[in-house]
Amino acid sequence: MLTITYFFVYFLGLPLILLYFCLRFRSQREYLNFFGGLDNRASKKNKDRREKVEKKRYWLRIIFIVILIVFLSSWHLVTSELADIRMRTEMKYGGGGIYSENPVVVSLGPTYDVNGVIETMKNKEERWLPDQVKEVVDLDHLVNFKGRIAVYRTYDQRYIITYTYILPYPIIKSFGFKYVKTDDGQLKIIKKDKKTIFYPLAPGIVNNTAKLVA
């Protein structure tokens, strides 16, 4: 249910907000124009009605601005959550039919504590492979602008970092690589990949980052 809500907000939230308030503003404008065209526009009754409509129009503007600000300031959060849900949901086909599987073995985030995640990656080298990450993305440069980070390692030897910028328009970047372990125990990167996803693209396509067959 939460996933459906996120999809609804991400894809339809802004269009529905704009459409709803556009129709309301147009309806009130037509109502005011109607009163303005009456011959007895100076009558007290019409004046009272007009003032009520203008007052409603004023408060409608305030409500519209508040809702729009709240939506735009949380759009990035919805985006990063959708990306995370998709990262942890992979459709598989077997003898019993279609089933869902979580490909993520270990992860960090998604979180606003970007510095904390980077420190964890540096301090736990064996798990988070900071040297290999440097070959794919400059984290110091990436986090110059505030955002929400998530890091994943999957069962099929992929390592993916997603970074969702805190902006009024959803932009998420994903960086990843697929690796194999050589005979001498070293990790070798066999594919590097990066994506930039922005509305109306689906955030879930970060799941394909660094796949050999996407």
Side-chain angles (χ1 to χ4, degrees), residues 84-92 100-107 152-160 207-208 211:
D84 182 66
I85 290 170
R86 185 65 183 87
M87 275 298 309
R88 300 176 187 277
T89 307
E90 192 169 80
M91 302 308 297
K92 294 288 185 179
S100 175
E101 184 177 81
N102 183 358
V104 177
V105 176
V106 63
S107 64
Y152 309 91
R153 285 185 66 176
T154 69
Y155 71 84
D156 58 346
Q157 285 73 52
R158 286 183 299 136
Y159 189 123
I160 299 169
N207 179 259
N208 289 328
K211 276 189 175 180

Side-chain angles (χ1 to χ4, degrees), residues 53-185:
V53 175
E54 289 175 341
K55 187 175 182 180
K56 287 182 180 179
R57 190 174 175 83
Y58 169 79
W59 283 109
L60 187 64
R61 290 194 190 98
I62 300 298
I63 295 171
F64 170 68
I65 291 171
V66 170
I67 291 178
L68 190 62
I69 290 175
V70 170
F71 175 80
L72 294 179
S73 62
S74 61
W75 209 358
H76 73 277
L77 176 63
V78 173
T79 303
S80 64
E81 288 296 323
L82 277 175
D84 182 66
I85 290 170
R86 185 65 183 87
M87 275 298 309
R88 300 176 187 277
T89 307
E90 192 169 80
M91 302 308 297
K92 294 288 185 179
Y93 303 89
I98 302 174
Y99 61 96
S100 175
E101 184 177 81
N102 183 358
V104 177
V105 176
V106 63
S107 64
L108 296 170
T111 177
Y112 293 103
D113 185 14
V114 177
N115 292 329
V117 168
I118 293 176
E119 283 301 312
T120 299
M121 293 167 65
K122 291 178 179 178
N123 295 333
K124 297 183 178 180
E125 297 183 15
E126 185 175 346
R127 171 173 288 184
W128 295 113
L129 315 175
D131 291 336
Q132 283 76 16
V133 170
K134 288 179 182 177
E135 297 183 36
V136 179
V137 56
D138 182 351
L139 287 177
D140 293 330
H141 177 73
L142 179 68
V143 302
N144 280 340
F145 199 95
K146 290 186 178 182
R148 202 163 187 246
I149 194 171
V151 187
Y152 309 91
R153 285 185 66 176
T154 69
Y155 71 84
D156 58 346
Q157 285 73 52
R158 286 183 299 136
Y159 189 123
I160 299 169
I161 298 172
T162 66
Y163 196 79
T164 309
Y165 292 95
I166 301 177
L167 294 170
Y169 184 81
I171 298 177
I172 180 170
K173 289 189 175 182
S174 66
F175 304 84
F177 57 89
K178 187 173 177 66
Y179 58 91
V180 296
K181 185 172 286 189
T182 60
D183 293 338
D184 59 359

Side-chain angles (χ1 to χ4, degrees), residues 14-28:
L14 185 61
L16 287 179
I17 289 172
L18 295 178
L19 178 62
Y20 172 78
F21 282 98
C22 179
L23 292 176
R24 288 293 304 276
F25 283 128
R26 187 175 69 176
S27 174
Q28 291 179 347

Side-chain angles (χ1 to χ4, degrees), residues 26-57:
R26 187 175 69 176
S27 174
Q28 291 179 347
R29 185 177 65 249
E30 291 174 351
Y31 202 40
L32 289 172
N33 290 338
F34 169 75
F35 284 116
L38 294 177
D39 293 336
N40 58 345
R41 73 182 70 176
S43 69
K44 186 178 184 304
K45 186 176 181 180
N46 285 339
K47 275 187 176 181
D48 290 342
R49 288 179 176 176
R50 186 179 182 89
E51 286 175 359
K52 286 181 180 179
V53 175
E54 289 175 341
K55 187 175 182 180
K56 287 182 180 179
R57 190 174 175 83

